[in-house]
Amino acid sequence: MAQCAANKNTFLAKPFTLLIFGGSGDLSQRKLLPSLFHLFQQKLIKRFSILALGRREFSDDAYRKLMKKALREFADFKFTAQELNDFLRFLHYQVVDINNADSYKALCERTTLLAKNDKERNLLYYLAVSPKSAEQIIKGLAKRSLCRQEKNAKIIMEKPFGRDEKSAARLNAFILQEFDEHQVYRIDHYLGKETVQNILFLRFANTIFEPLWNHEHIANVQITVAEQLGVENRAQFYEQAGVMRDIVQNHIMQLISLVAMEPPVGFAADYIRDEKVKLLRSLRPMTRAEIIKNSVIAQYSGGVIAGKKVPAYRREHGIARDSTVPTYFAGKFYIDNWRWEGVPFYVRTGKRMAQRATEIVIEFKQPPQQLFGKECAGLKPNALILTIQPTEEIKLCFSVKYPGPENRPHVEKMQFNYQDVFHTVSLSAYERLLIDAMRSDLTLFTRADEVEILWSIIDPLIKVWERRRNYQLPQYKAGSWGPSVADLLLERDGFKWQIR
Ligand code: BG6
């Protein structure tokens, strides 16, 4: 049988033409262009054109200059001046007024010119814009027959996809009038992270974990997405989104669905997406009283991060002085199916936390009888810790005998670290997702029904917290692990956050 050796060429993209709406914006400068540059440097993309689109006036040269500066600042890999200049030659810019029909005519002509070497017309439209602008753009593209009629056209949409279930459903219906579902790539960049994908490998490429992966053996699951960053220069966006729409509806829920879903019948996109949807459907809905009891929101006050004083959220540039937008969420969820009956899934996420850490802890049940450790703090439960950031690791924690006559248990770890084991260049989340979109692989993108179900889970929480009258939003100190009330969530059930 052939060996499963990694083959770089499987990633080689066909010629393509990428149109980026919001081409001079923050996301393009920080993530998209650096990712495309890295793919180019790694020779994974060779024949392509990038047409950046925006309201601001730039000539091609002026745009390339702007991007040269951005790439020097944000590309986090080593490159030569020659490589940078070679890449910049693939960049083009055009002003668009997304409300003006003539703009789309000009765009159409320019696209045809740029795509002249791309015989299959692999057109990718990246919409790094708000959902409202996205609708306008889709209308404009449709008028010029740049949607379904272009059989190799794809549309890539940034999150958040809509603001709630209703708006997401409306946006889906709108897009699907002009594109087929297989042309739509809804991004959640967490799905592009190697270690997030590794959750599925760990579970389904091994036989030793799956028999334990259920309520009989697992006491609880703890998911932490902690950031040290504050709101940065995204005040306008964040004031509208808050932590629920920015992180919980998407990144946290995706992590829950990968940890908890049933094995798919195959690795094709829809097999995996079907299982995720099935799992999300079985998340237990909560009443208003349960939401208030089982979840916590909070906002950061001033504090110290990595030895530097940082302001309170309400003192950040562009934030209302009396803003009640939450930057922290902790909550407890249950999944009503045979596998997970009674197992609490604790999640927490926040900006300006003590540490940057994205981690999933699977805490196992204690042995039925406590033979050891009665005289000290007791036996610590076994835990499997999947660290997604800042390092990429898997740790299995178990008790061993501490040397000596006392029969004292001691917790040790077996540890796997990606960087130590694999010395290959790994792709960042955005690089992986861009490559997948070019290769027409939809596995790591969110399907229409999935995105709507995700909102249907989160909408009730947002409603309860947004509409709570006379509510004093708890504050937590920047640089801390969040408000102390969040600990109560677990303490009531007799658990502790494994990661502090
Ligand atoms: C984005 C959010 O989706 O994820 C940001 O909009 C957040 O607010 C970011 O900072 C975190 O991503 P990562 O990959 O750094 O964990």
Side-chain angles (χ1 to χ4, degrees), residues 21-133:
F21 290 86
S24 59
D26 199 55
L27 183 77
S28 297
Q29 299 201 26
R30 283 171 186 266
K31 296 278 186 202
L32 295 183
L33 270 301
S35 301
L36 289 158
F37 179 30
H38 194 218
L39 293 176
F40 171 75
Q41 190 204 40
Q42 294 301 309
K43 301 191 171 42
L44 298 174
I45 57 175
K46 288 186 175 163
R47 287 160 54 208
F48 61 94
S49 304
I50 297 172
L51 178 59
L53 303 155
R55 272 174 305 191
R56 286 157 72 188
E57 294 273 352
F58 289 111
S59 63
D60 280 0
D61 276 346
Y63 180 72
R64 287 174 188 159
K65 239 189 208 153
L66 179 77
M67 286 305 137
K68 192 172 194 167
K69 193 165 159 272
L71 290 168
R72 287 218 165 106
E73 188 176 348
F74 298 119
D76 58 358
F77 52 93
K78 285 205 180 98
F79 55 85
T80 63
Q82 181 68 48
E83 284 170 332
L84 180 57
N85 288 334
D86 287 349
F87 174 70
L88 291 172
R89 281 207 288 272
F90 290 87
L91 304 189
H92 310 269
Y93 186 84
Q94 180 147 328
V95 179
V96 282
D97 171 356
I98 58 170
N99 301 311
N100 179 338
D102 288 345
S103 260
Y104 293 93
K105 183 166 177 273
L107 174 74
C108 203
E109 288 162 6
R110 186 91 189 266
T111 305
T112 303
L113 205 68
L114 289 173
K116 69 179 185 303
N117 295 327
D118 166 10
K119 286 203 181 64
E120 293 180 15
R121 276 179 76 90
N122 285 310
L123 303 179
L124 293 117
Y125 312 120
Y126 201 115
L127 269 46
V129 296
S130 69
K132 211 159 150 214
S133 306

Side-chain angles (χ1 to χ4, degrees), residues 254-322:
Q254 289 293 349
L255 295 178
I256 293 186
S257 56
L258 294 174
V259 166
M261 68 183 236
E262 294 301 314
V265 291
F267 214 64
D270 272 337
Y271 293 148
I272 292 178
R273 302 196 298 179
D274 285 348
E275 291 305 333
K276 287 202 296 178
V277 165
K278 196 170 99 194
L279 186 279
L280 291 168
R281 275 208 187 100
S282 47
L283 258 125
R284 184 185 301 171
M286 287 190 258
T287 61
R288 180 186 154 80
E290 284 166 338
I291 289 173
I292 292 173
K293 182 168 168 226
N294 292 332
S295 68
V296 170
I297 55 168
Q299 190 187 68
Y300 64 80
S301 58
V304 177
I305 298 263
K308 235 179 102 195
K309 265 181 103 173
V310 295
Y313 178 73
R314 288 177 189 164
R315 297 275 144 205
E316 299 266 23
H317 181 69
I319 301 294
R321 294 290 171 253
D322 57 353

Side-chain angles (χ1 to χ4, degrees), residues 25 135 141 144 187 196 204 207 213 225 253 317 347 354 405 477:
E135 286 193 20
L141 294 174
R144 289 272 140 201
I187 289 225
V196 171
F204 303 129
T207 52
W213 214 263
V225 176
M253 286 295 142
H317 181 69
V347 307
K477 241 186 151 101

Side-chain angles (χ1 to χ4, degrees), residues 159 189-190 193 227 234 246-247 251 351 356 389:
K159 64 158 261 281
H189 80 279
Y190 259 55
K193 291 179 190 274
E227 295 185 78
R234 298 160 74 222
D246 190 36
I247 303 276
H251 305 334
K351 290 205 178 282
R356 178 175 188 232
Q389 299 178 148

